[in-house]
Amino acid sequence: MKVLVVGGCGYIGSHTVVELLKNGEEVVVVDNFSNSKRDVLDKIKKITGKEFTFYEMDATDKEGMRTVFEKETIDSIIHFAGYKAVGESVSKPLLYYRNNLLSTIVLLELMKEFSVKRIVFSSSATVYGAPEKLPIRENAKISTTNPYGETKVMCEKILSDFVRVNPGYEAILLRYFNPIGADESGLIGENPNGIPNNLMPYIVKVANHDLECLHVFGNDYDTPDGTGVRDYVHVTDLANGHILALQKPLEEGVHIYNLGTGEGYSVLDIVHAFEKANGVTVPYVIEERRPGDIASCYADITKAKEELGYLPNKTLEDMCRSAWNFVKTETKTEEK
Ligand code: WQD
């Protein structure tokens, strides 16, 4: 099977390309390096020992993307190419609507033109907003509070309406909870530019003395220790969820799956697990709540388990250790 991975040099995209190649699939990667680094290409080859085709291109460039569909006989698409910083989406909404929606529309138009029947879309638990019931099931109410989340809801709607009027086509929407960790090689991982928005990359920078201390956004939530609870899932488990989605017999229409672990951990759980797994200290201070944050969010993954055979098996210790191993490997490489 030849899989087109759009945004395949990003954090989740690169880990999925690694798992696809390890599974013997043919891979074509498109990326414009707007939120990734070119050296990821060589790292993927080093990890897997496999070759793959790469096009440096913006997924919103329809004429450019058409050349890829003309040159490559694509069986399925995985669409990762979306901007994903919640805070940035609030200050630059048009950038997010244009990039995240137009890239999806371009891919669907070309899917129709070249009869590519299946697309797997990178969605997010952010579409659930503040959940009414926990754990969260796929039929839970949709409500988002920021432009980033709105783009995910809108893309899900665009994909659903496309397959509704195109018999034989399938859209698989994977709603990620909180991906963390890194490939066991330590060669690829999450390495955002500047000050990280997300918890784990921030913890890693504090442990590595790149940042002074972690700011814990609120300890007065209605949770066991008062800090925010999330469903952290190892990025390799998440990547394998995509492989399973592609291996499922094609079934027209839209299919939605939560990809998490079903376990909720608080901010302080993560801090303590990281310190224990890596023998480091992560100093922190308690701050005010971050606007827009919710108290608790964790998945019911029954549907993915039953229909895809999804079974996340990495532990919290694996997630913490692999995240640290990636930074230590990066640091060693930079020092050479
Ligand atoms: C996790 C917990 C914070 C940083 C976001 C997006 C979501 C997805 C994942 C793209 C919360 C706390 C964090 C810090 C802290 N991204 N925290 N200090 O907000 O659950 O989800 O990233 O798909 O769409 O919304 O993840 O890692 O930012 O926060 O205390 O410096 O850690 O309050 O409780 P979040 P996060």
Side-chain angles (χ1 to χ4, degrees):
M1 171 172 48
K2 183 176 277 192
V3 186
L4 171 64
V5 183
V6 187
C9 291
Y11 173 44
I12 301 166
S14 58
H15 283 81
T16 303
V17 171
V18 162
E19 298 308 314
L20 283 165
L21 292 170
K22 283 183 176 176
N23 274 272
E25 304 299 355
E26 262 194 280
V27 176
V28 176
V29 174
V30 165
D31 206 298
N32 66 355
F33 302 121
S34 64
N35 194 19
S36 55
K37 296 188 176 83
R38 185 181 293 276
D39 68 356
V40 167
L41 295 167
D42 286 339
K43 291 177 176 178
I44 292 171
K45 286 176 190 160
K46 192 169 175 188
I47 293 168
T48 61
K50 302 277 181 72
E51 291 298 325
F52 57 93
T53 310
F54 173 69
Y55 296 87
E56 182 173 354
M57 195 172 292
D58 187 316
T60 61
D61 166 12
K62 186 169 180 180
E63 290 322 305
M65 288 300 290
R66 176 178 280 111
T67 66
V68 177
F69 281 74
E70 282 164 347
K71 286 182 190 159
E72 310 289 343
T73 311
I74 294 161
D75 298 302
S76 295
I77 298 172
I78 309 181
H79 180 21
F80 290 106
Y83 297 150
K84 62 170 191 172
V86 171
E88 185 183 52
S89 79
V90 175
S91 56
K92 299 176 183 171
L94 216 47
L95 180 76
Y96 273 66
Y97 287 119
R98 186 180 205 288
N99 181 67
N100 293 8
L101 271 59
L102 184 54
S103 60
T104 303
I105 292 165
V106 162
L107 284 171
L108 290 173
E109 289 172 336
L110 291 170
M111 274 176 73
K112 182 73 178 161
E113 195 176 320
F114 290 86
S115 301
V116 177
K117 303 289 187 186
R118 174 184 266 170
I119 183 167
V120 175
F121 175 71
S122 167
S123 191
S124 167
T126 209
V127 303
Y128 295 118
E132 287 170 345
K133 192 166 158 287
L134 289 168
I136 305 174
R137 301 191 62 177
E138 287 84 353
N139 62 358
K141 192 164 70 68
I142 300 298
S143 79
T144 63
T145 54
N146 58 73
Y148 161 73
E150 288 294 349
T151 69
K152 289 302 180 184
V153 172
M154 290 175 183
C155 284
E156 289 195 357
K157 186 88 184 70
I158 292 164
L159 287 152
S160 304
D161 285 343
F162 173 83
V163 297
R164 179 172 51 77
V165 298
N166 286 287
Y169 284 75
E170 179 180 32
I172 300 176
L173 314 180
L174 301 180
R175 291 175 178 165
Y176 309 156
F177 280 69
N178 288 62
I180 61 172
D183 181 74
E184 60 194 4
S185 66
L187 292 175
I188 55 174
E190 189 175 20
N191 189 12
N193 304 327
I195 307 283
N197 296 306
N198 295 139
L199 179 65
M200 182 55 88
Y202 203 105
I203 287 176
V204 165
K205 284 191 180 283
V206 171
N208 207 34
H209 305 298
D210 299 330
L211 290 170
E212 191 190 339
C213 74
L214 171 69
H215 302 265
V216 176
F217 297 144
N219 68 345
D220 57 352
Y221 285 104
D222 180 15
T223 62
D225 64 15
T227 63
V229 170
R230 297 291 184 276
D231 183 334
Y232 297 94
V233 55
H234 195 291
V235 65
T236 299
D237 278 334
L238 189 69
N240 282 312
H242 294 72
I243 313 298
L244 292 165
L246 291 177
Q247 288 170 345
K248 187 178 77 65
L250 190 134
E251 205 183 330
E252 69 177 24
V254 61
H255 306 279
I256 303 174
Y257 300 99
N258 288 335
L259 293 188
T261 63
E263 288 290 323
Y265 288 106
S266 75
V267 176
L268 294 182
D269 289 334
I270 300 297
V271 169
H272 298 144
F274 191 89
E275 290 180 323
K276 184 164 178 262
N278 299 309
V280 296
T281 53
V282 179
Y284 64 84
V285 290
I286 304 292
E287 306 269 350
E288 290 303 304
R289 295 181 178 189
R290 178 171 64 176
D293 268 358
I294 57 175
S296 291
C297 172
Y298 52 92
D300 179 328
I301 58 171
T302 308
K303 192 177 174 208
K305 278 184 174 174
E306 288 177 353
E307 296 184 18
L308 302 180
Y310 171 69
L311 210 54
N313 59 23
K314 301 270 186 190
T315 64
L316 184 58
E317 184 181 357
D318 295 331
M319 298 180 214
C320 293
R321 202 163 274 167
S322 62
W324 186 235
N325 180 45
F326 167 63
V327 162
K328 302 319 279 177
T329 308
E330 280 266 294
T331 314
K332 260 186 246 141
T333 314
E334 280 156 13
E335 281 160 4
K336 274 183 191 159

